[in-house]
DNA sequence: AAATACCCTTAAGATAGTTTAAGAATTAGC
DNA sequence: GCTAATTCTTAAACTATCTTAAGGGTATTT
């Protein structure tokens, strides 16, 4: 447990470092959770009650459309945060799923605990603003790629942006992320290997 | 000028209301700018030096691809914020353009002034966290739409989400936003009017 | 180690979206 | 109000992506 929290503390040093008191205030509000492959952290219809820091492993966040197809909105791997912001802050049922694609360890903080920390520790509020801004920038790049690139180019962009994940995820999951069928991703990959 | 700032003050009441001192601290750091149709607030290669609040009118943010085509990442209308976060915080050249699609009035705050306010006024920092979180949620919905909906459905989603903008923008701009050619949007619209 | 579930590839036919080009309609700027 | 510029529509040919189906390959579970 100590090791996991140290990883989060180290992570926060990339932002405004927390004071020892702030670290302590954060740490005592964390709970650890171990999630097996295919186990859910959040299911459609439930309220997302936690902000989760991924220590190891990998999660996927996805929506299911009216035809029952899954569409991966994001992958969340080590040193990243998973939550459905909309459900978390408004405490309303989520439209999304968060599921482990690998055995995953997370540290979780509850809604009211995080709000308490926001109110009482400017640095924590500040850091989460910066974190969400960085995630916003990444998401905006993804929107741009979606509206301007072909499937082929989106696959290349994914490989460049997540070189580690590419080896860890089945292609079906990557296909769902870039917005094509697995069959079409297969033909894209074929072309790639023939060229290089 | 007073009227414009009042609009921003009213806007902030949707969040944690600023104290009179904070309102004042914010107001004295704002400059007003009037932008004509087709005038740029930001051009590719320039550093984005301001966070801009749109009082009236409408801006578009877009990228230009290697073939010279423009791709609209977002529209920014009344009571919304325009900036290239990535360029603004890292003070590096932007890859994007921000251009007025209507005559537009904005209130601008500079990088170092906003950082000063963040450091000295927790409420302001807090409010910008909440604002960016809301924009993050909207952007995430858009990503989901991009990977799961047909062009037809994306157009309907745009109409539902921005009913006011739909009448104010030329279809070429909407086509660029949803990621199709204007010609194809034209056939989509034809089908729509025939059905209803 | 066998059984099962999942994943990857291939290919043919179908659909969605693009390109090009040209004329008609609308809008912006003076 | 006129003029020029921009925007909108249509259609045909083309390209990208999807669907379906089937067989073989890899993991996971028993």
């Amino acid at each position: 447990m100590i090791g996991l929290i140290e990883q989060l503390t180290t992570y926060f040093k990339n932002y405004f470092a927390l004071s020892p008191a702030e670290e302590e205030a954060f740490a005592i509000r964390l709970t650890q959770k171990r999630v097996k492959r295919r186990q859910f952290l959040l299911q459609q219809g439930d309220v997302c009650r936690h902000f989760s820091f991924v220590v190891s492993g990998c999660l996927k966040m996805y929506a299911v459309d009216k035809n029952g197809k899954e569409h991966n909105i994001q992958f969340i791997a080590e040193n990243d945060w998973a939550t459905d912001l909309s459900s978390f802050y408004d405490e309303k049922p989520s439209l999304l799923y968060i599921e482990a694609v690998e055995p995953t360890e997370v540290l979780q903080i509850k809604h009211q605990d995080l709000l308490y920390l926001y109110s009482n520790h400017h640095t924590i509020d500040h850091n989460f603003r910066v974190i969400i801004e960085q995630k916003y920038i990444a998401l905006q790049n993804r929107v741009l790629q979606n509206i301007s690139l072909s499937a082929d180019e989106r696959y290349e962009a994914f490989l460049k942006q997540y070189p580690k994940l590419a080896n860890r995820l089945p292609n079906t999951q990557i296909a769902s992320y870039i917005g094509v069928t697995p069959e079409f991703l297969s033909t894209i990959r074929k072309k790639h290997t023939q060229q290089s």
Side-chain angles (χ1 to χ4, degrees), chain A:
Chain A
M1 182 69 175
I2 299 266
L4 305 193
I5 289 184
E6 267 169 16
Q7 185 172 332
L8 179 54
T9 305
T10 303
Y11 167 84
F12 272 128
K13 296 211 171 104
N14 298 322
Y15 301 90
F16 269 24
L18 302 186
S19 70
E22 283 165 340
E23 279 181 9
E24 171 70 9
F26 211 114
I28 61 170
R29 288 175 174 80
L30 290 171
T31 53
Q32 181 189 358
K33 189 164 189 170
R34 211 177 275 269
V35 199
K36 288 184 197 157
R37 200 170 113 89
R38 270 162 224 257
Q39 196 179 331
F40 290 96
L41 222 60
L42 174 69
Q43 296 200 60
Q44 181 179 52
D46 293 348
V47 174
C48 183
R49 303 246 172 239
H50 297 92
F51 220 106
S52 304
F53 179 77
V54 175
V55 174
S56 68
C58 185
L59 307 168
K60 64 176 174 178
M61 171 188 280
Y62 63 92
V64 175
D65 70 18
K66 54 181 188 282
N67 304 316
K69 277 196 189 149
E70 296 180 7
H71 300 277
N72 287 340
I73 295 167
Q74 58 171 317
F75 298 112
I76 306 107
E78 300 85 8
N79 292 320
D80 197 0
W81 298 89
T83 196
D84 175 1
L85 275 186
S86 175
S87 170
F88 181 75
Y89 285 118
D90 296 345
E91 297 185 278
K92 68 184 183 191
S94 176
L95 301 172
L96 308 177
Y97 296 82
I98 301 178
E99 183 187 328
V101 293
E102 298 176 352
T104 300
E105 282 184 312
V106 298
L107 292 172
Q108 300 192 300
I109 185 161
K110 277 194 191 162
H111 182 245
Q112 72 255 31
D113 285 338
L114 189 57
L115 291 192
Y116 171 84
L117 293 174
Y118 283 161
S119 302
N120 292 279
H121 301 280
H122 186 169
T123 306
I124 293 175
D125 206 334
H126 179 93
N127 281 357
F128 275 82
R129 179 179 58 68
V130 176
I131 289 166
I132 196 78
E133 278 171 356
Q134 291 178 345
K135 295 200 75 159
Y136 183 91
I137 291 166
L139 208 50
Q140 183 170 278
N141 279 331
R142 182 146 183 237
V143 167
L144 177 58
Q145 290 172 3
N146 280 333
I147 61 177
S148 69
L149 301 184
S150 66
D152 194 339
E153 295 166 318
R154 293 198 307 274
Y155 178 58
E156 280 179 3
F158 173 81
L159 292 183
K160 199 176 280 181
Q161 198 163 1
Y162 302 102
K164 287 178 199 167
L165 279 187
N167 306 318
R168 286 162 57 182
L169 294 168
N171 287 320
T172 43
Q173 296 303 320
I174 298 174
S176 168
Y177 180 88
I178 65 178
V180 296
T181 58
E183 293 84 0
F184 191 54
L185 178 55
S186 191
T187 76
I188 289 173
R189 283 161 49 80
K190 191 182 175 186
K191 250 185 280 175
H192 271 239
T193 52
Q194 283 174 348
Q195 282 170 357
S196 50

